[in-house]
Every structure is written in C-alpha cells, then in structure tokens.
C-alpha cells in the first residue's frame, strides 16, 4: 500500500484552482459607451446607492459618503475619475438611485458609481494585452490592460490606481 496525501487531487484530475488559473474573471461595468472590467476578486457588492451625504472640500471625484449595512463608504464617481462629463450630483436631501460597485482597499470601503453593471465575464489569459500606447493618458494611468472582444474593447481597470486620489492634506 502506497502512502499518498489525502489533500492531493486524484491522479489525472484537474483541480479547481488550476482551472481557475487559466482564466481571468471580471465584473463588467459601463461608463458612457465604454465597457470596463473590474477583477472579480476585488468586488464585494453591487448595489443601488441612495442618500449620499456630500463632503465639503472633497476632490471632485468623491460624490460623498453613504451607509452600507452600517459601514461608512466613500462614493467615487468613476465617470468623473475617467474624465467624462458628469450630471449634477444629488443633494443629501434628494432621493437618488446610483448604481455602485463596492470595493475595499486597505480596510476602507469604497463605492464606484457607474452608469451600469453588466455581466461577469470569464476571459482567457491569452486574450489579455497590455495597455495600448494610443489610449488616452488619463485612462492609461487607471488601466491594467485590455481584452479585445468580438465587437468591443474591454478596458481592465487597476482598482488601486482608480482609488488613489490626490486628497488634500489637513493643515
């Protein structure tokens, strides 16, 4: 009788981790007409943000703060972050329904406000390409790469770069 590790996969079996390693999974969102991908491992929630409290003197990308299941979340307008024109931000006392994707970074909670949330896409590593040299500089700074799909381009966002805002230093 041979000794064998009880936790090892059966000979010839492909482990789930190995199969997962062959693909990249994204939660897709749109801003304007552009399809964007957020690595699925970074996304914690998809929700409707309402009752956003504005923050005086905050950078223009910060829509405000909201309460998500008892947790204070900083809401960031991805449209503004990418340099698109932005509709007027609702006041605190106005009802609003903004589509948001919840992300954590360094123990802090953020909500990326997007135009729409799409499907989860599983794409092969072989279709991933570096950021094209002709991509607008402000977008290139926030992108990790791209996938060329049949009819459009999926820009994969670098979540850490998107959340890195130039916050004013308190005096």
């Amino acid at each position: 009788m041979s000794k064998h590790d009880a936790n090892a996969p059966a000979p010839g079996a492909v482990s789930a981790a190995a199969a997962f390693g062959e693909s990249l999974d994204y939660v897709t969102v749109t801003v304007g007409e552009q399809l964007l991908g957020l690595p699925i491992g970074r996304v914690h929630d998809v929700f409707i943000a309402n009752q956003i409290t504005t923050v005086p003197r905050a950078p223009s990308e910060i829509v405000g703060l909201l309460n998500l299941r008892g947790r204070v979340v900083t809401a960031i307008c991805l449209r503004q972050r990418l340099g698109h024109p932005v509709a007027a931000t609702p006041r605190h006392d106005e009802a609003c329904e903004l589509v948001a994707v919840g992300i954590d970074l360094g123990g802090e909670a953020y909500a990326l406000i997007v135009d729409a949330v799409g499907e989860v896409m599983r794409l092969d590593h072989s279709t991933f390409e570096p950021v094209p040299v002709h991509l607008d500089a402000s977008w290139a700074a926030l992108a990790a790469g791209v996938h060329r799909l049949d009819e459009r381009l999926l820009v994969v966002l670098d979540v850490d770069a998107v959340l890195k805002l130039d916050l004013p230093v308190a005096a």
Side-chain angles (χ1 to χ4, degrees), residues 22-66:
E22 298 300 318
S23 65
L24 299 169
D25 292 0
Y26 303 101
V27 173
T28 61
V29 299
T30 55
V31 171
E33 296 297 317
Q34 183 59 56
L35 183 65
L36 304 165
L38 298 167
I40 198 166
R42 299 296 303 272
V43 174
H44 292 278
D45 298 291
V46 174
F47 58 97
I48 300 296
N50 50 26
Q51 293 187 325
I52 295 176
T53 302
T54 57
V55 178
R57 300 177 44 134
S60 60
E61 295 97 339
I62 295 180
V63 176
L65 302 175
L66 58 98

Side-chain angles (χ1 to χ4, degrees), residues 4 9-10 18 28 58 60 71-72 78 87-88 90 92 94 96 100 105 107 109 113 119 126 130 139 144 154 168:
H4 116 30
T28 61
S60 60
R71 190 169 183 197
V72 176
L78 191 54
H92 172 66
E94 288 182 318
C96 64
L105 177 66
I113 306 299
E119 62 187 328
S126 66
W139 280 56
L154 172 75

